[in-house]
Amino acid sequence: MSVVKSPLSDADLKTVGNALQGALVDLVDLALVAKQVHWNVVGPRFRSVHLQLDEVVDTARLHSDTVAERASALGVSPDGRSATVASSSAIGTVPEGWINDEEAVQILVAALGAVITRMRERVDATGDPDPVSQDILITLTGELEKHAWMFQAESV
């Protein structure tokens, strides 16, 4: 049941709803993964990596709200529950315990890469049915790619 009447056709709403839901799941998990690594990073570059991780968390949290609210505006109920995130995210698991700064960087490079790949697919999928949602995903993907660049530069 939807309490909001969507301006999109049923077919377009399904495509866009799936894209927004997938983006939400990946963003919620990205924030959780980055925060887990943030709490456990150790090593000579601790401070810079620690602070950089919080920037990723801030980006993911800000955009997850934007994505969820866009879904709601279209009549799609967003689902950010832990079980949904755990079963649907593209991001791998984070090791338990302390994480060396070099490994922390590699974890974030991999996580961001997985999310960016799926975001670009969502950008393509939403272009025709809903340019407004596509614009949100384009902006988000640009910010994630900036974070990916910065973490990749840490690993050279």
Side-chain angles (χ1 to χ4, degrees):
M1 175 187 103
S2 178
V3 296
V4 177
K5 172 93 172 98
S6 177
L8 303 178
S9 71
D10 288 345
D12 287 349
L13 183 60
K14 182 176 181 179
T15 298
V16 174
N18 287 339
L20 293 171
Q21 178 58 39
L24 176 62
V25 163
D26 284 349
L27 290 169
V28 169
D29 200 26
L30 181 61
L32 292 170
V33 164
K35 203 51 146 165
Q36 181 65 27
V37 175
H38 168 89
W39 292 325
N40 287 285
V41 67
V42 294
R45 297 182 318 192
F46 161 80
R47 182 164 173 73
S48 65
V49 173
H50 182 79
L51 295 173
Q52 196 173 359
L53 287 161
D54 263 344
E55 293 173 6
V56 172
V57 171
D58 291 345
T59 295
R61 287 180 178 166
L62 172 69
H63 286 286
S64 65
D65 195 50
T66 302
V67 165
E69 288 178 356
R70 178 65 185 159
S72 292
L74 293 174
V76 175
S77 175
D79 187 355
R81 296 173 300 160
S82 59
T84 303
V85 172
S87 68
S88 305
S89 175
I91 302 173
T93 59
V94 176
E96 186 178 332
W98 303 115
I99 302 169
N100 179 278
D101 55 5
E102 290 179 24
E103 185 181 5
V105 167
Q106 292 309 311
I107 290 168
L108 260 292
V109 167
L112 286 162
V115 172
I116 289 165
T117 296
R118 290 182 18 154
M119 288 299 176
R120 286 187 158 272
E121 292 168 0
R122 293 173 186 126
V123 166
D124 289 342
T126 55
D128 287 333
D130 187 26
V132 175
S133 293
Q134 183 191 46
D135 186 56
I136 290 168
L137 296 173
I138 288 170
T139 300
L140 161 59
T141 303
E143 289 191 37
L144 294 175
E145 288 176 347
K146 182 177 177 182
H147 287 301
W149 157 57
M150 291 184 175
F151 273 104
Q152 289 175 50
E154 286 271 351
S155 64
V156 183

